[in-house]
Amino acid sequence: VQLVQSGGGLVEPGGSLRLSCAGFGFSLDHYTIGWIRQGPGKEGEGVACFSDSDGSTWYADFAQGRFTISRDNAKNTVYLQMNSLKPEDTAEYYCAAADDRNSLLGGHIEAWGHGSLVTVSS
């Protein structure tokens, strides 16, 4: 069971980035998949995830209207499109798999991606 991330990097305020998270050894369909970030000196916080079996999505307040989580089942990949980035979005972003949304947001993670550093700076 492995989550492999790609994307991230340095972007100016107002810019966009897309993170990818591909599953290997298991189907992402079998888990609740989401993104968690940890900024410098901060605790980890949920960013966005798919909500359990109904396929709906959940976003943190700071992500609403700017970030979009999506998935491509054929590629077994989940994406996080981030627009209108702000300096306070600077963080290490991790994709994560959990049994359900409460578990994912509560830190009870079955598998972690290796992290993608996002730096928003001019």
Side-chain angles (χ1 to χ4, degrees):
V1 175
Q2 190 176 11
L3 295 172
V4 178
Q5 294 183 222
S6 60
L10 174 64
V11 64
E12 293 186 348
S16 298
L17 283 175
R18 189 177 80 159
L19 306 180
S20 301
C21 173
F24 293 89
F26 72 109
S27 173
L28 296 185
D29 274 351
H30 294 167
Y31 291 92
T32 292
I33 304 296
W35 295 89
I36 295 170
R37 74 181 188 181
Q38 186 167 20
K42 299 180 181 179
E43 293 187 356
E45 58 182 348
V47 178
C49 68
F50 289 99
S51 288
D52 301 335
S53 62
D54 66 5
S56 62
T57 52
W58 171 88
Y59 294 94
D61 288 345
F62 64 80
Q64 284 279 359
R66 299 190 299 128
F67 295 3
T68 303
I69 189 171
S70 63
R71 68 196 309 159
D72 184 334
N73 289 334
K75 294 182 179 180
N76 206 33
T77 299
V78 171
Y79 304 95
L80 183 68
Q81 177 68 41
M82 302 183 291
N83 299 328
S84 302
L85 283 162
K86 306 174 181 180
E88 52 263 43
D89 294 318
T90 295
E92 192 82 24
Y93 285 73
Y94 299 89
C95 66
D99 288 337
D100 51 53
R101 189 181 79 181
N102 287 338
S103 295
L104 188 139
L105 298 179
H108 304 290
I109 306 299
E110 297 294 324
W112 289 96
H114 53 79
S116 296
L117 180 61
V118 172
T119 303
V120 185
S121 175
S122 55

